[in-house]
Amino acid sequence: MVTIRPFRPDDPRDAAGVDEVCVRTGDAGADARGLWSSDELLPDLFARPYVRLEPSMAFVLDDAGAVVGYVIGTADTPRFVARYRELWLPGLEQRWPRPPRPPVTAEQRLLTMGLDPERMLSPALAAHPAHLHVDIAPEHQGGGHGRALLETFCRAAAAAGSRAVHLGMDPTNTRARAFYDRLGFDEISGVDDGGVFLGRAT
């Protein structure tokens, strides 16, 4: 039976499962294994900071003990950014070379994003203080699990005092956009970050 449960920060299998799903869905929803210089890159930027810094806001899709999906994020983006800079960024800078300015390659552009957490603090997003990332392994997509994960996160964010949530997405991922449209997300204008940002009440 596939269930949703809280992420277990003391179980290395949960961390490894989140990493794997992150990479398997990291190319606009498609498999990103082998796409970058290391498969450690995407988890180091988009998954591990959340499960390390905000484990109470992390939930996984569990199939017989295996993590096959997740929703991760924060109820308070400004607080998360401050903790990211203090607690996550020093290790990230040790693991990855600082890109040139301006960055030249796609990987350098990704790293530049990861090394600049304040980019998450666009004034246009201030009315949506929570943010999330949701990813599901391909073989478990289409069964209503994405909706269930997202609603689980929104309930947790509301309980933590956040009235609205936002997310960023690759504009080429039309399947994901249709999914978020069905769940009541609207586009947020005025974010100068190159992607599409959507928001809704928790």
Side-chain angles (χ1 to χ4, degrees):
M1 180 180 295
V2 180
T3 59
I4 295 173
R5 60 168 174 79
F7 173 82
R8 297 185 292 227
D10 58 345
D11 188 340
R13 294 172 298 181
D14 272 19
V18 168
D19 284 359
E20 181 179 355
V21 173
C22 179
V23 177
R24 291 184 64 203
T25 59
D27 183 16
D31 196 334
R33 286 177 289 189
L35 188 60
W36 308 102
S37 63
S38 169
D39 286 345
E40 300 291 308
L41 177 64
L42 295 184
D44 234 3
L45 297 178
F46 301 116
R48 294 170 185 161
Y50 294 94
V51 299
R52 304 282 175 82
L53 302 177
E54 297 274 8
S56 66
M57 295 298 297
F59 302 89
V60 300
L61 191 66
D62 182 306
D63 186 357
V67 173
V68 295
Y70 60 78
V71 61
I72 53 180
T74 179
D76 185 340
T77 298
R79 176 178 177 271
F80 175 78
V81 167
R83 298 187 73 226
Y84 183 108
R85 175 159 290 282
E86 177 186 3
L87 302 173
W88 187 255
L89 193 57
L92 190 69
E93 290 178 316
Q94 290 179 357
R95 292 188 295 275
W96 297 95
R98 181 167 284 277
R101 290 183 178 274
V104 177
T105 67
E107 181 161 317
Q108 290 171 351
R109 287 191 288 273
L110 271 184
L111 281 168
T112 298
M113 291 170 56
L115 295 170
D116 179 23
E118 284 76 19
R119 67 184 173 79
M120 303 183 210
L121 299 178
S122 170
L125 300 172
H128 298 77
H131 77 262
L132 65 83
H133 301 271
V134 59
D135 291 299
I136 301 174
E139 63 273 15
H140 286 81
Q141 294 176 9
H145 302 307
R147 176 188 292 269
L149 282 166
L150 193 145
E151 298 297 351
T152 297
F153 180 92
C154 285
R155 287 192 295 270
S162 181
R163 65 188 181 278
V165 61
H166 73 268
L167 58 90
M169 60 165 291
D170 187 321
T172 67
N173 193 342
T174 56
R175 182 180 179 188
R177 178 59 188 268
F179 166 73
Y180 293 124
D181 286 347
R182 290 194 298 271
L183 293 184
F185 280 82
D186 296 314
E187 188 163 341
I188 302 172
S189 61
V191 184
D192 185 19
D193 201 5
V196 172
F197 286 81
L198 309 174
R200 58 161 262 191
T202 55

